[in-house]
């Protein structure tokens, strides 16, 4: 018998809002005052990341914004008729 074996406490299973998976290592993200639960960064990105107004990909980096529309890069912004956008670091 091994009476001295440490037992880990059971963790509550939470359900991912994107895929529905129940996972004991799910995490929460609060955005615009609403809290969301996800089981992976992939699901969080799919649900929360803005979409490029030109090519439609999810913007995971900084991206660019003009008049409420987001773009993944200067190329996509320019192809949508937006001129003069620069990264905020400049």
């Amino acid at each position: 018998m091994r009476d001295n074996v440490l037992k880990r406490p059971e963790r509550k299973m939470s359900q991912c809002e994107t895929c529905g998976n129940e996972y004991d290592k799910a995490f929460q993200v609060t955005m615009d005052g609403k809290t969301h639960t996800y089981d992976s960064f992939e699901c969080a990105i799919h649900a929360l990341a803005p979409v490029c107004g030109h090519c439609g990909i999810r913007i995971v980096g900084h991206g660019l914004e003009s008049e409420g529309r987001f773009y993944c890069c200067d190329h996509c912004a320019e192809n949508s008729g937006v001129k003069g956008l620069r990264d905020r670091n400049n």
Side-chain angles (χ1 to χ4, degrees):
M1 285 206 283
R2 296 184 61 177
D3 292 331
N4 62 351
V5 174
L6 295 175
K7 293 184 181 178
R8 292 184 180 171
E10 286 192 36
R11 296 178 86 178
K12 181 183 175 209
M13 301 288 273
S14 295
Q15 188 171 25
C16 177
E17 292 180 22
T18 301
C19 70
N21 183 38
E22 290 188 5
Y23 190 48
D24 67 335
K25 294 172 184 64
F27 58 93
Q28 294 182 324
V29 174
T30 302
M31 184 173 179
D32 296 330
K34 296 179 185 175
T35 301
H36 306 275
T37 302
Y38 302 103
D39 69 340
S40 67
F41 287 112
E42 180 180 9
C43 284
I45 289 167
H46 180 74
L48 300 176
V51 175
C52 178
H54 180 73
C55 71
I57 67 162
R58 295 281 175 185
I59 303 168
V60 180
H62 293 284
L64 302 166
E65 181 181 3
S66 176
E67 298 180 11
R69 291 191 71 187
F70 294 92
Y71 302 96
C72 65
C73 63
D74 184 44
H75 173 79
C76 281
E78 286 185 6
N79 278 306
S80 293
V82 178
K83 303 290 183 208
L85 288 184
R86 295 186 331 187
D87 192 309
R88 291 183 183 198
N89 293 331
N90 294 330

